[in-house]
Amino acid sequence: MTAKAIAVDDQLMRILVLGGTVFLGRAVARQALAAGHDVTCAARGSSGEPIDGVRFVKVDRDDPDGLSGIDGEYDAMVDVARRPSHVRPAVGALAGRAGHVTFVSTGSVYSDISTPGQRVETAPIMEPAPPDFDDPAQDPDAYGRCKVTCEQLVTDAFGEDHVFLCRPGLIVGPEDPTGRFDYWVRRAARGGEILVPGTPDDLVQLVDVRDVAGWIIAAAEARLTGTYDAVSPPITRQEFMDALVEDGSTTTYVPQELLLEHEIEPWSGPRSLPLWLPLPEYAGFMSRDVTPSLEVGLQPRPLADTARDTAAALRDDTPSLGLTEAEETEILDAWHARSPKT
Ligand SMILES: NC(=O)c1ccc[n+]([C@@H]2O[C@H](COP(=O)([O-])OP(=O)(O)OC[C@H]3O[C@@H](n4cnc5c(N)ncnc54)[C@H](OP(=O)(O)O)[C@@H]3O)[C@@H](O)[C@H]2O)c1
């Protein structure tokens, strides 16, 4: 799909957010309200509370008629859905009633995860989900394939001239329910010798939730259409750690071979090192060339700002994942035994 920005229109808008009770959806609603727009959020209300000041419509998209409570027309709509069965009835109910549509997709739609430096316009994407795929958790590829189907459903219903397909990479920042970035914020705050996976030159790529939300609102205001990655340019693992670590702490880089030997999980979960992916298998995942997105308005903030604000917003109810102190000590000891400190 070719990208196309229609003339900037700074009038206040009626915006419909399908979602809006958690993380990115809440951030979109919060920033739209702050910009003076009239915001309606539609969800069940089970993931969290909508932001004060939005109109909240309780809907259940598991019911094919579940969106019947949404009335009226909207200048812009934002959908964060993951299931084709949620998107199909929504586009049926809302086609023709929203002037601009942002569908929040994902970088997991890309099929080549090992080639570094890929760009949106040439990177291959997965096949759409087969008809019996609807649960993003049913298979390792199901999430990406379901999103490919959702992208197609939205584009077919509203037309390329109305649709912004926004493909975030790893989203971090305040209110992140996953706890992945929180691990590093907490670990940096604890100080001491910090185990870091891989090498200082490995790439890490992420984006602050507020930068994605702000870009989605700006895109709706500007009637931006087309398909873009929503993630900051990659940084090195050392730059990542420098943004988090306080004076007096040290970082010890442990090669991935030793991590794998000790059955440390990548990315997320118990006994994992969050945001670490084995190389070269996943070298394409956190190394995307996002020049096209920066050219049309994505404005990533410095990671140190994200780290500071995430630290200030940490909650006790986010999942506890990553290494325990004992597990980290076990790996550091094993590494030092093999490669004595100089
Ligand atoms: N986190 C990342 O690192 C990452 C990376 C790439 C892409 N993404 C994408 O970014 C988006 C994140 O969205 P998000 O942070 O707002 O979280 P989310 O967990 O995707 O939010 C889903 C929203 O849909 C609503 N919902 C779920 N089931 C529903 C149902 N049956 N009926 C009505 N509403 C329902 C939820 O509200 P209720 O439960 O209250 O109904 C919630 O507001 C997603 O599209 C995700 O795929 C995320």
Side-chain angles (χ1 to χ4, degrees):
M1 186 185 297
T2 50
K4 183 166 120 191
I6 301 175
V8 173
D9 174 356
D10 62 0
Q11 288 180 357
L12 296 184
M13 297 182 293
R14 292 193 73 205
I15 299 183
L16 172 65
V17 180
L18 296 179
T21 54
V22 67
F23 199 36
L24 177 62
R26 272 171 68 86
V28 168
R30 185 182 286 121
Q31 293 199 32
L33 268 186
H37 299 302
D38 177 281
V39 183
T40 299
C41 292
R44 295 165 303 181
S46 26
S47 298
E49 295 291 319
I51 301 293
D52 283 347
V54 304
R55 187 166 76 98
F56 183 63
V57 183
K58 204 169 160 66
V59 301
D60 185 352
R61 300 174 77 174
D62 291 333
D63 172 356
D65 294 323
L67 296 184
S68 55
I70 301 175
D71 55 11
E73 297 195 347
Y74 297 86
D75 301 297
M77 173 178 126
V78 179
D79 191 2
V80 297
R82 296 158 193 250
R83 291 175 181 258
S85 68
H86 285 183
V87 172
R88 208 169 276 114
V91 300
L94 294 161
R97 291 167 56 196
H100 180 269
V101 179
T102 298
F103 180 70
V104 180
S105 185
T106 171
S108 296
V109 297
Y110 296 113
S111 53
D112 176 356
I113 53 171
S114 58
T115 304
Q118 294 177 64
R119 279 172 75 126
V120 64
E121 62 277 26
T122 47
I125 61 168
M126 293 187 176
E127 291 295 315
D132 58 338
F133 269 43
D134 190 58
D135 179 357
Q138 82 187 75
D139 168 291
D141 286 344
Y143 173 52
R145 296 187 67 181
C146 285
K147 284 286 200 182
V148 171
T149 303
C150 295
E151 288 184 354
Q152 289 181 350
L153 288 167
V154 172
T155 306
D156 289 349
F158 289 91
E160 288 188 9
D161 287 353
H162 296 268
V163 174
F164 170 39
L165 296 179
C166 171
R167 295 178 177 161
L170 174 73
I171 309 176
V172 302
E175 297 188 2
D176 179 358
T178 71
R180 292 176 297 217
F181 185 64
D182 291 3
Y183 170 85
W184 289 105
V185 171
R186 287 198 164 92
R187 183 63 197 88
R190 205 168 81 230
E193 182 187 13
I194 303 173
L195 188 165
V196 187
T199 78
D201 294 330
D202 293 347
L203 295 181
V204 181
Q205 193 168 29
L206 40 71
V207 65
D208 189 301
V209 64
R210 297 163 296 180
D211 297 336
V212 183
W215 191 33
I216 287 172
I217 301 304
E221 289 168 347
R223 304 289 191 269
L224 174 73
T225 61
T227 306
Y228 292 95
D229 293 322
V231 69
S232 308
I235 55 174
T236 64
R237 184 72 69 179
Q238 177 154 8
E239 288 167 330
F240 175 84
M241 294 308 299
D242 285 349
L244 278 91
V245 167
E246 293 166 15
D247 289 348
S249 302
T250 58
T251 49
T252 297
Y253 288 82
V254 175
Q256 65 174 21
E257 292 70 24
L258 188 131
L259 301 174
L260 294 168
E261 241 175 69
H262 284 258
E263 298 181 334
I264 302 303
E265 295 293 328
W267 199 245
S268 187
R271 200 175 166 80
S272 73
L273 276 165
L275 317 191
W276 162 58
L277 289 171
L279 299 173
E281 302 92 298
Y282 291 94
F285 207 76
M286 292 204 285
S287 63
R288 299 192 66 76
D289 175 354
V290 294
T291 309
S293 308
L294 303 175
E295 286 172 351
V296 294
L298 176 65
Q299 293 184 321
R301 72 193 65 203
L303 183 59
D305 293 0
T306 304
R308 180 199 60 222
D309 297 343
T310 304
L314 282 176
R315 295 191 319 231
D316 291 336
D317 60 351
T318 46
S320 177
L321 47 75
L323 300 185
T324 63
E325 278 191 64
E327 287 165 343
E328 187 187 43
T329 304
E330 169 203 328
I331 307 303
L332 284 171
D333 287 350
W335 173 237
H336 290 313
R338 194 169 298 184
S339 168
K341 282 184 192 168
T342 50

